[in-house]
Amino acid sequence: MYLPDHFKEVDPAEIASIIAGAPLACVVANSSEGLVANHVPLMFDKSGDLIGHFAIANDMHRTVADGQEVMAIFRGLDGYISPNSYPSKLEHHRHVPTWNYQVVHIHGIITFQHDERSKRAAIGLLTRDQERRVNGDRAWRMADAPADYMLDMIGKIVALRISVTRTIAKSKLSQNRDQRDFDGAVEELKAHGDQALAERMVAKRN
């Protein structure tokens, strides 16, 4: 990933926030059939590994070897920035469009797990987090489903674990702009309804 110094993201809390806000990772691997990419929700467990699961019909666990290096890409907020948003554009017109975004690349070693315990752990971690966020006290639990049905569904998935070896993160949020052009970009985003990206830019600058 192209990573100028002023866009390097090194704050662990910010990196964790990006991942938590967009847990659907694109997992890229070199397989026996060439490059493959699968989109899988991933979360950190207590050991610091990323865990998740996908359908057993997905060939990834057959074409990618256990112990192989993969990359999980988490894409956070992003949005277009027009030169028209910069006040200084009216003075010299020396601006071009750009795109603001946050992204995290996690490299690691993948293993696939077919035992029931690992699969339940992967489902449990994801559903506990997401159900609490979406439904609060009414959160769905695996125990809500009939035991035979849950066992059948668990038999149709594969768990995966990625042991992290390297993390590279980027926050391209107009840090390289002077204050008035930065403020102009923020206000333009707000005017077009992109409040979340505008707020992230301000928080990162402060």
Side-chain angles (χ1 to χ4, degrees), residues 1 6 23 30 56 63 67 79 128-129 161-162 165 173-174 179:
M1 175 165 57
H6 49 276
N30 191 17
I56 199 167
T63 61
R128 277 194 301 273
D129 179 82
R161 177 177 294 270
I162 299 174
T165 58
L173 298 174
S174 298
Q179 190 64 52

Side-chain angles (χ1 to χ4, degrees), residues 140-193:
W140 177 88
R141 300 171 304 162
M142 282 189 280
D144 291 344
D148 59 339
Y149 171 78
M150 201 68 228
L151 190 61
D152 178 59
M153 296 304 292
I154 287 172
K156 295 177 180 178
I157 66 170
V158 176
L160 65 93
R161 177 177 294 270
I162 299 174
S163 299
V164 178
T165 58
R166 183 165 51 128
T167 299
I168 304 171
K170 183 175 184 177
S171 289
K172 183 179 177 293
L173 298 174
S174 298
Q175 301 97 311
N176 56 329
R177 300 294 175 184
D178 64 28
Q179 190 64 52
R180 63 173 179 158
D181 283 348
F182 176 87
D183 291 343
V186 167
E187 291 308 312
E188 186 74 9
L189 285 169
K190 289 180 178 178
H192 287 90

